[in-house]
Amino acid sequence: MYHAIVFFPLIGALIAGLFGRVLGAKVCEYVTTGCLAFSCLIAWGVFFEHGDHALRVQVAHWFSAGDLTVDWAFRIDRLTKVMLVVVTTVSTLVHLYSVGYMEEDPHRPRFFAYLSLFTFAMLMLVTADNLVQMFFGWEGVGLASYLLIGFWYEKPSANAAAMKAFIVNRVGDFGFSLGIFLVFVLFGSVAFDGIFPRVEELKDAHFHFLGHDWHALTLACLLLFMGAMGKSAQFLLHTWLPDAMEGPTPVSALIHAATMVTAGVFMVARLSPLFEMAPDALVVVTVIGGITAFFAATVGLVQNDIKRVIAYSTCSQLGYMFVALGVGAYSAGVFHLFTHAFFKALLFLGAGSVIHAMHHEQDMRNMGALRRFIPFTTAMMTIGTLALIGFPFTAGYYSKDAIIEAAYASTRPGHTLAFMATVIAALMTSFYSWRLFFMTFEGPARWGAHGHDAHAHDDHHAAAHDDHGHAVATADAHHDDHHAHTPHESPLVMTIPLAILAFGALFAGLIFKDRFIGEGMDAFWGHALAHGHDNHIMHDIHHVPALVSAAPFIMMLLGFVLAFWMYLRRPDVPHTLATQMPLLYNFLLNKWYFDEIYDRIFVRPAKWLGLFFWKEGDGRVIDGFGPDGISARVVDVTRGVVRLQTGYVYHYAFVMLVGVAGLVTWYLMTGAAGGAH
C-alpha cells in the first residue's frame, strides 16, 4: 500500500518520459494524472487510519560502508501521513489543471514526466526513515525543480531562474550535508530510530571544531537548518523563489504550495527531538522565521506581477511556519503547512486562470474589472484571499492565529521579535492580498481598447515574459491580438481543481483543528513530533490576553480598509506615495537590493575568477605549456627538420659527414676520459 503511494508517480514519470513521443501527449496526461490520483486516494485512506504508532516499511538494503549502514525504508507515522496527503492532493490537482493550462504546449509529455518525477522525489523525502534517504529526496526535488523552472529553455530568463534556484539551494544543501555528517559522528547512525532514543544522553555533548568547543547538537541543528533555509527560501537564501515564477504557473503552484518550499519545514518538524535539545538553534529558527515573514511581506506590497505577489506571500507564510517551529509549537507549524497548501495552491492556480483569461498577461496594471468576465475564477480567488489573510473560520484563520499566539506565549529568546514581525506581516498580508484582488478584478478595465495606449510599454514587457512560453512566433502572435480578445473563463478541467482547493481553503481548518492543535492533539500526533517535558506552548496559547488573540483580525481589517481606500476610492494615492517616497518605493520594488548585493559580492567575483582561470590558467598556462604547447613545439621542430629534406645528394653527404665527425669526437672524448681514469 505504501509502496503504491510512493512508486506510482515514478511509474507515470517513466512512462511519460521514455515513451511520450510514441504514446502522444493525451495518453501521457491521462497516465500521469491517473497514477497521481491513485496515490492520492490511498494516501487519504492511510491518513484516516487509527493508531499513532510509527511503522517502518523496508524496501531494500541500500549500502554499507564501514560503520555506516543505510536502508531504503519508509517511516510511516502521523507526520508522514499528513505530508502524503498534502503532496499527493496538490500534485493530483496540479496535474489535472495542467491538462487544460498546457494544452497549446508541444512538449506536454516532458512536462508531465517532470511533474510526476518531482512528486516522487518529494514522497521519497517525506517517507524517509533516515537522513541519507531524506537527502536523496531533498536533492531529487532540487533537480526536478530545476527542470520545471527551466522548462521553457528557449527563454534566457527561464534558464537563468533555473540555474539560480539550483545554485542557491546548493548553498543550503552544503550545510545540510555537513549536518548529516556531524549527526553520524555523534550518534554513529543516520537512521531516526538510532538517533532519537539517544538524544537525551548527548544533550550536553560538545564538538571541537575550528579551535572552539561547540555544543554538539546546537551545531548539528544549525547546519541542518541551513539546508532548510535554502529549500524553504528563508531570509538570505530566499532570492531564488520569486525568479522561480519563470516556470509555468502549475509549477509555481506545486513548488510554492505543497512540495519543495515546505521540505525545510517538514525536515525541522521531523528532527524536532534533536532541535528540542538545542534551544539556541531554535532561537535562530524563530528569529529567521520572523524576519522572513516581515521582509517578504514588505516586498509583496509593491510588486506588479500577479505571480510574484503570491510568491512573496509564500515566502512570508513560510516564515510563520518557522516561527511556530522555533517557539516549540511544532503542531501549529505543520498545521499551517497543511492549510497553506490548499489556499496557496488555489491562489496560484487562480492566478493561472486569470493569466489564461487575459491571454498570458501577468502585469496587474493591465488588468481590472475582470469580475464581470470570469466570475467563477473571481469567486475562487476571493476564497483563497480570505483564507490567506486569516478571515474567521477559513483554513488560514486557525493555523495563523495559533502561530501568532504561540509566539506571544513563548518564553524563549527572540519570541517578542517574532510576535511583532508576524502581527505586522498580518497587516501587510491583508493589504497586498486585497491590492492584488482590487487591481485584478475591480476598478476600471485597463486592457483591450480600455488600456492599450496607456500601457503599451507595459504590455510589451509582459509579452516578453509570457507565462505560456511557447515558441517566439507563437508568443508574438499572441501579442499581436493580445488586446483583441475579451477575457474568458477557463475550461472545466481547470476550474474543477479550483473548486476542490476552495473547499479545502474554507473548511480544512475547521475540520482538522481539533486533531492538529486542539483537544485531540496528543492522541493525533502521538510521538511523531517532540514535546519536551517543559514545552507547554500549545496549552499556553489558550491563556494569552484577548487583545493578542484579536490582533490578527484587527490587522486584517486595517489592511482591507487601507487597500480599499487606496485602490478603489482614491486610486491616485499609490502613485502619489511612490512619487513622494522614491527611495522607500524603489527599495521595496527592488526587493531590498539583495540581488544587486549578491551580484556584487558573489556573482561578479565568481565570474571574474572563472574568466581568469579560463584565460590565464587554462589558456595561457595549461594550453601554453601543457598539451597544446608541447604539440606546438613538436610541430615547430618537425617543420625545421622537414627543411633538411632538400633532395640534393651533397646536402645529405654533408649531414653524414657532420654526423661522423660528431661520433668520432664523442668517442675520443669518452675514451680519453676512461683512459685517464
Side-chain angles (χ1 to χ4, degrees):
M1 180 164 59
Y2 299 108
H3 292 73
I5 296 174
V6 175
F7 288 111
F8 260 82
L10 178 63
I11 293 170
L14 291 174
I15 292 173
L18 298 176
F19 308 109
R21 292 185 178 181
V22 178
L23 297 175
K26 280 294 178 190
V27 174
C28 291
E29 291 171 351
Y30 296 148
V31 168
T32 52
T33 306
C35 286
L36 257 298
F38 184 70
S39 289
C40 181
L41 287 174
I42 301 175
W44 275 102
V46 167
F47 179 77
F48 286 110
E49 281 182 347
H50 294 292
D52 60 354
H53 61 283
L55 178 67
R56 186 178 187 274
V57 180
Q58 179 82 8
V59 178
H61 173 66
W62 194 353
F63 67 87
S64 296
D67 296 332
L68 176 62
T69 299
V70 179
D71 288 331
W72 186 358
F74 301 149
R75 181 183 179 88
I76 307 297
D77 58 10
R78 185 59 68 183
L79 180 60
T80 307
K81 292 176 181 179
V82 169
M83 294 303 297
L84 288 177
V85 163
V86 168
V87 173
T88 56
T89 301
V90 174
S91 186
T92 300
L93 295 175
V94 167
H95 273 73
L96 183 61
Y97 181 92
S98 300
V99 172
Y101 192 84
M102 301 295 289
E103 186 178 10
E104 300 174 15
D105 197 281
H107 305 294
R108 280 173 289 164
R110 178 165 61 89
F111 179 76
F112 280 87
Y114 289 169
L115 280 184
S116 293
L117 179 65
F118 190 106
T119 308
F120 166 71
M122 190 66 193
L123 292 172
M124 282 289 295
L125 193 160
V126 301
T127 57
D129 179 64
N130 57 75
L131 286 169
V132 175
Q133 184 186 330
M134 181 182 283
F135 192 72
F136 172 81
W138 193 272
E139 294 301 302
V141 168
L143 169 65
S145 67
Y146 168 80
L147 296 173
L148 284 167
I149 294 168
F151 177 73
W152 287 317
Y153 53 83
E154 300 95 342
K155 295 168 62 179
S157 56
N159 287 328
M163 289 177 62
K164 187 175 183 180
F166 197 78
I167 292 168
V168 173
N169 272 279
R170 295 294 73 72
V171 176
D173 294 351
F174 177 68
F176 187 32
S177 58
L178 290 179
I180 294 174
F181 301 155
L182 181 53
V183 167
F184 177 69
V185 169
L186 294 173
F187 293 91
S189 173
V190 292
F192 298 139
D193 288 338
I195 296 171
F196 295 158
R198 297 188 56 211
V199 169
E200 191 78 29
E201 67 184 69
L202 289 171
K203 65 179 181 179
D204 297 320
H206 284 75
F207 184 76
H208 191 76
F209 180 63
L210 295 177
H212 182 73
D213 283 334
W214 302 79
H215 183 256
L217 292 184
T218 298
L219 182 60
C221 288
L222 287 175
L223 289 169
L224 293 167
F225 179 61
M226 186 174 169
M229 286 177 65
K231 200 66 76 184
S232 294
Q234 291 302 282
F235 185 70
L236 300 179
L237 291 180
H238 65 276
T239 53
W240 67 269
L241 191 72
D243 289 12
M245 297 299 98
E246 289 292 340
T249 298
V251 173
S252 304
L254 195 59
I255 289 177
H256 292 75
T259 51
M260 183 168 171
V261 294
T262 58
V265 179
F266 165 78
M267 186 263 284
V268 175
R270 168 62 78 211
L271 298 177
S272 54
L274 234 62
F275 278 84
E276 273 294 298
M277 296 298 160
D280 291 343
L282 285 176
V283 171
V284 175
V285 174
T286 305
V287 171
I288 292 292
I291 293 173
T292 304
F294 175 81
F295 154 75
T298 62
V299 177
L301 296 174
V302 298
Q303 299 301 307
N304 295 308
D305 185 306
I306 187 171
K307 286 172 63 177
R308 282 182 178 265
V309 175
I310 304 173
Y312 277 107
S313 162
T314 298
C315 196
S316 183
Q317 296 305 306
L318 288 165
Y320 276 88
M321 296 176 206
F322 279 110
V323 165
L325 299 175
V327 298
Y330 301 106
S331 54
V334 178
F335 188 33
H336 197 51
L337 184 159
F338 181 79
T339 58
H340 176 264
F342 291 104
F343 61 75
K344 190 49 61 69
L346 174 60
L347 285 169
F348 266 114
L349 297 185
S353 184
V354 171
I355 295 166
H356 183 269
M358 290 295 295
H359 306 284
H360 322 312
E361 175 66 80
Q362 292 180 212
D363 194 322
M364 296 185 298
R365 292 170 296 184
N366 301 328
M367 298 182 186
L370 293 180
R371 177 170 53 86
R372 299 192 299 272
F373 299 91
I374 47 173
F376 182 81
T377 298
T378 305
M380 297 300 99
M381 288 291 283
T382 304
I383 292 172
T385 300
L386 290 174
L388 172 61
I389 66 174
F391 190 80
F393 310 115
T394 59
Y397 167 72
Y398 296 100
S399 56
K400 194 176 182 179
D401 283 22
I403 291 172
I404 293 174
E405 290 167 2
Y408 179 85
S410 174
T411 56
R412 290 178 176 171
H415 78 97
T416 304
L417 182 150
F419 171 69
M420 297 299 295
T422 50
V423 169
I424 296 170
L427 168 64
M428 293 188 285
T429 300
S430 178
F431 176 81
Y432 67 63
S433 297
W434 288 115
R435 172 180 178 267
L436 181 151
F437 186 85
F438 294 147
M439 288 182 70
T440 305
F441 299 105
E442 303 292 344
R446 297 180 297 277
W447 42 268
H450 303 281
H452 183 269
D453 297 332
H455 295 280
H457 176 74
D458 291 332
D459 293 341
H460 178 74
H461 178 77
H465 294 79
D466 176 21
D467 185 60
H468 284 251
H470 316 308
V472 175
T474 309
D476 289 342
H478 279 306
H479 178 56
D480 290 340
D481 60 0
H482 189 78
H483 299 279
H485 293 84
T486 301
H488 55 87
E489 194 62 86
S490 298
L492 201 60
V493 73
M494 291 172 64
T495 53
I496 289 175
L498 294 180
I500 296 172
L501 288 169
F503 179 84
L506 282 175
F507 301 112
L510 190 64
I511 294 171
F512 294 107
K513 68 179 176 67
D514 285 335
R515 291 183 176 90
F516 278 80
I517 59 172
E519 295 177 358
M521 177 181 67
D522 294 334
F524 178 77
W525 287 112
H527 300 289
L529 298 174
H531 294 288
H533 60 277
D534 58 345
N535 185 358
H536 307 293
I537 188 70
M538 294 309 298
H539 300 288
D540 294 342
I541 65 175
H542 301 296
H543 305 293
V544 299
L547 186 60
V548 172
S549 299
F553 182 75
I554 295 169
M555 294 296 121
M556 180 197 71
L557 283 181
L558 285 175
F560 170 77
V561 171
L562 197 58
F564 182 82
W565 179 70
M566 289 178 64
Y567 288 93
L568 290 185
R569 292 299 182 213
R570 292 287 306 278
D572 59 305
V573 170
H575 178 72
T576 304
L577 287 175
T579 306
Q580 291 176 347
M581 296 183 287
L583 288 177
L584 177 61
Y585 177 75
N586 288 318
F587 179 71
L588 298 180
L589 189 65
N590 289 285
K591 304 160 285 189
W592 291 27
Y593 292 104
F594 269 103
D595 283 322
E596 289 78 5
I597 293 169
Y598 286 173
D599 185 65
R600 182 64 61 87
I601 297 175
F602 300 113
V603 178
R604 290 187 190 177
K607 285 184 175 179
W608 177 86
L609 194 62
L611 195 64
F612 174 80
F613 282 137
W614 171 37
K615 292 291 188 182
E616 301 297 327
D618 191 42
R620 182 169 297 181
V621 177
I622 296 176
D623 289 345
F625 297 101
D628 287 352
I630 292 171
S631 64
R633 300 296 77 77
V634 170
V635 169
D636 292 341
V637 171
T638 54
R639 282 175 181 163
V641 173
V642 164
R643 291 172 185 167
L644 297 176
Q645 304 290 333
T646 62
Y648 295 107
V649 174
Y650 64 86
H651 284 172
Y652 300 150
F654 176 74
V655 172
M656 291 170 65
L657 183 62
V658 171
V660 170
L663 283 171
V664 170
T665 303
W666 176 78
Y667 176 74
L668 289 173
M669 291 180 68
T670 55
H677 180 72

